[in-house]
Amino acid sequence: MYTQGLLTPSPKSPAAVEDAELLARFQARIDREEKIEPKDWMPDQYRQTLVRQISQHAHSEIVGMLPEGNWIGRAPTLLRKSILIAKVQDEGGHGAYLYSAAETLGVSRAELIDQLLSGRAKYSSIFNYPTPTWADIGAIGWLVDGAAIMNQIPLCRCSYGPYARAMVRVCKEESFHQRQGYDIMLQLARGTPAQRQMAQDAFNRWWWPSLMMFGPSDGASQHTALSVRWKIKRFTNDELRQKFVDFTVPQAHFLGLTVPDPLLHLDESTGHYRFGDIDWSEFQAVLAGNGPCNRERLAARRAAHEDGRWVREAALAYADKLTSRTRSVA
Amino acid sequence: MSERKDWELYEIFVRARGGLDHKHVGSVHAAGAEMALEHARDLYTRRLEGVSIWVVRSADIVASDPTDSDPFFEPARDKIYRHPTFYNIPDEVETL
């Protein structure tokens, strides 16, 4: 992923005619399912859309480590603890793959991290909900990672090469995440009445936020049309949400859980589950920074960044010392 | 929130198994090549995806320019006689 030559903002084209011609050629490449690579010409808005989307995605992976990290020290067995550490490490890895992909578009990682820590960048609203019980770890793996997979599989065919390749890597790892989550739920569902209740309670709290993960309804989404034309997005928010519901409801039934939606029913004519209205005011509130844990999450990220500063600086000082020593020998 | 300077960017190439060539997989930031190797191991081979890793400073990579790719690769375009299928060999001739 070559970033040199991309660090300066692309100059505005002198002739709009040339722009239109480049744009037509660009769209033709997309329509032929060609991948766009870092040094290829691309419209500014394509670049900006991707930087926004990939960096938000990266931030979500990084902040996503926090709700689960809450249970590493309290996992019920050593095996569950090892699994959870591996999963949280994967999330950090996904963040790193994605920052890498974003950097090919000419932004620096430091800049992106600064956007997150200063509160200017958004990340997935789902990670602003708390994880008070062990069943939440099961529900996150099963539902949150399940919804993420639904979103991410089409991104493996995204028109931007580095993003698509990062998503292939991410998707390979997500399946483990979802299955370990369902495995936790399965064990609770087969447990004592109190354990079954714990599973139901976590399901009740995570169901609706998981549906919100797909974003606003198609009519209300600002970004969908252009992203679909540029093949950054392959399906609309509502299509993916419906698919998620259709996959997940039978899995919930297998666990003996009740979906917390009195309007949910199978529409025999279409084979789709119909569900009640999503409370978008909750989504907007969480996105605006007023979810249950927004402030806590950002504070934790900032503290981690500050606490690590001396390590980053010491590593640089050591690298400089090695370089100067090599020079003086040479 | 300015750092003294940022860790450098390294491109990562991983050999998946003995006998295969190294393939580009992504990049990491690191303070020096040794650290880049360790970061690459932690990031790109958590599930035994590799038996060997190369790291190269991104700034050291020289790449062809996509806007020039037509003239750049043009010399190979009209030399179809470089391909075996260019030659019509009678069916009677075997193992050729």
Side-chain angles (χ1 to χ4, degrees):
Chain A
M1 301 190 180
Y2 319 122
T3 56
Q4 74 269 36
L6 287 170
L7 295 174
T8 46
S10 55
K12 287 272 171 279
S13 177
V17 183
E18 188 199 24
D19 249 13
E21 200 182 301
L22 284 170
L23 196 59
R25 218 179 299 159
F26 175 81
Q27 189 62 50
R29 289 189 64 195
I30 302 245
D31 294 342
R32 286 196 302 268
E33 297 287 329
E34 282 179 31
K35 295 288 180 211
I36 307 301
E37 295 296 337
K39 294 178 77 181
D40 296 345
W41 185 89
M42 60 186 89
D44 277 345
Q45 208 185 342
Y46 179 82
R47 187 186 300 275
Q48 285 159 16
T49 302
L50 278 167
V51 168
R52 194 192 64 238
Q53 181 172 334
I54 301 173
S55 62
Q56 281 180 11
H57 195 162
H59 300 328
S60 302
E61 301 283 356
I62 298 299
V63 177
M65 293 194 280
L66 295 170
E68 293 183 293
N70 185 33
W71 279 90
I72 289 178
R74 291 179 280 155
T77 67
L78 189 55
L79 177 61
R80 289 289 185 196
K81 181 174 179 162
S82 306
I83 292 170
L84 189 55
I85 290 173
K87 184 193 187 266
V88 171
Q89 193 189 14
D90 275 356
E91 305 298 0
H94 295 178
Y97 303 150
L98 287 159
Y99 283 129
S100 261
E103 283 181 286
T104 64
L105 292 158
V107 282
S108 76
R109 186 171 312 205
E111 219 173 305
L112 297 176
I113 290 173
D114 188 51
Q115 285 173 8
L116 172 66
L117 298 181
S118 66
R120 279 173 292 147
K122 299 241 181 294
Y123 57 86
S124 181
S125 57
I126 196 82
F127 301 115
N128 291 312
Y129 291 88
T131 47
T133 74
W134 173 248
D136 290 312
I137 301 307
I140 288 181
W142 171 37
L143 300 171
V144 175
D145 289 278
I149 290 172
M150 213 54 93
N151 259 322
Q152 289 172 161
I153 283 179
L155 287 173
C156 296
R157 295 189 296 129
C158 160
S159 60
Y160 188 57
Y163 192 25
R165 293 191 286 273
M167 291 321 299
V168 169
R169 200 173 288 284
V170 167
C171 284
K172 274 186 195 161
E173 299 179 355
E174 288 287 2
S175 180
F176 144 57
H177 298 177
Q178 195 188 16
R179 291 174 69 119
Q180 66 84 37
Y182 197 75
D183 187 58
I184 290 172
M185 296 305 270
L186 206 53
Q187 201 175 8
L188 290 171
R190 289 170 176 163
T192 64
Q195 286 169 329
R196 284 202 294 277
Q197 183 50 45
M198 189 192 277
Q200 180 67 54
D201 168 65
F203 185 48
N204 292 347
R205 284 181 290 107
W206 290 94
W207 173 253
W208 289 107
S210 299
L211 297 195
M212 293 176 200
M213 277 178 73
F214 295 91
S217 263
D218 297 346
S221 176
Q222 305 164 24
H223 309 300
T224 294
L226 200 54
S227 288
V228 168
R229 176 143 48 95
W230 280 338
K231 298 194 178 166
I232 295 170
K233 248 179 120 91
R234 298 270 176 172
F235 300 98
T236 66
N237 296 349
D238 285 335
E239 285 168 341
L240 292 168
R241 185 167 17 244
Q242 183 63 55
K243 207 167 164 191
F244 174 73
V245 171
D246 290 340
F247 278 30
T248 309
V249 169
Q251 295 166 358
H253 290 160
F254 184 83
L255 293 171
L257 297 177
T258 308
V259 181
D261 177 358
L263 296 177
L264 184 99
H265 66 279
L266 183 63
D267 180 346
E268 300 281 359
S269 63
T270 60
H272 291 303
Y273 282 95
R274 297 290 161 221
F275 49 96
D277 287 336
I278 292 169
D279 177 5
W280 290 112
S281 63
E282 175 182 329
F283 176 74
Q284 295 301 343
V286 177
L287 215 56
N290 299 315
C293 300
N294 293 58
R295 271 165 283 271
E296 185 185 330
R297 299 291 184 240
L298 263 193
R301 279 315 311 155
R302 286 192 192 116
H305 192 74
E306 284 311 309
D307 292 349
R309 181 182 296 277
W310 71 271
V311 179
R312 295 191 294 278
E313 288 177 354
L316 267 180
Y318 178 69
D320 287 348
K321 200 164 95 180
L322 285 185
T323 312
S324 61
R325 207 177 278 165
T326 320
R327 272 205 203 105
S328 63
V329 170
Chain B
M1 245 177 258
S2 70
E3 303 283 329
R4 191 161 57 89
K5 65 178 190 189
D6 295 325
W7 286 359
E8 269 188 304
L9 191 63
Y10 287 82
E11 301 302 320
I12 310 304
F13 300 80
V14 172
R15 186 200 295 285
R17 288 195 312 275
L20 298 180
D21 41 17
H22 287 77
K23 192 171 163 241
H24 184 247
V25 293
S27 61
V28 300
H29 283 268
E34 283 299 316
M35 188 195 277
L37 274 175
E38 287 170 5
H39 284 183
R41 175 201 59 198
D42 293 346
L43 190 56
Y44 293 106
T45 61
R46 284 198 300 284
R47 290 175 175 80
L48 296 174
E49 291 97 334
V51 295
S52 162
I53 299 176
W54 290 349
V55 302
V56 182
R57 288 173 62 232
S58 306
D60 288 341
I61 288 184
V62 181
S64 63
D65 181 350
T67 56
D68 266 352
S69 68
D70 276 352
F72 189 73
F73 293 106
E74 199 281 331
R77 215 173 289 281
D78 59 353
K79 296 181 179 60
I80 49 171
Y81 46 81
R82 284 190 165 146
H83 298 277
T85 47
F86 177 74
Y87 303 93
N88 284 319
I89 306 293
D91 288 346
E92 296 89 315
V93 184
E94 289 178 351
T95 65
L96 188 76

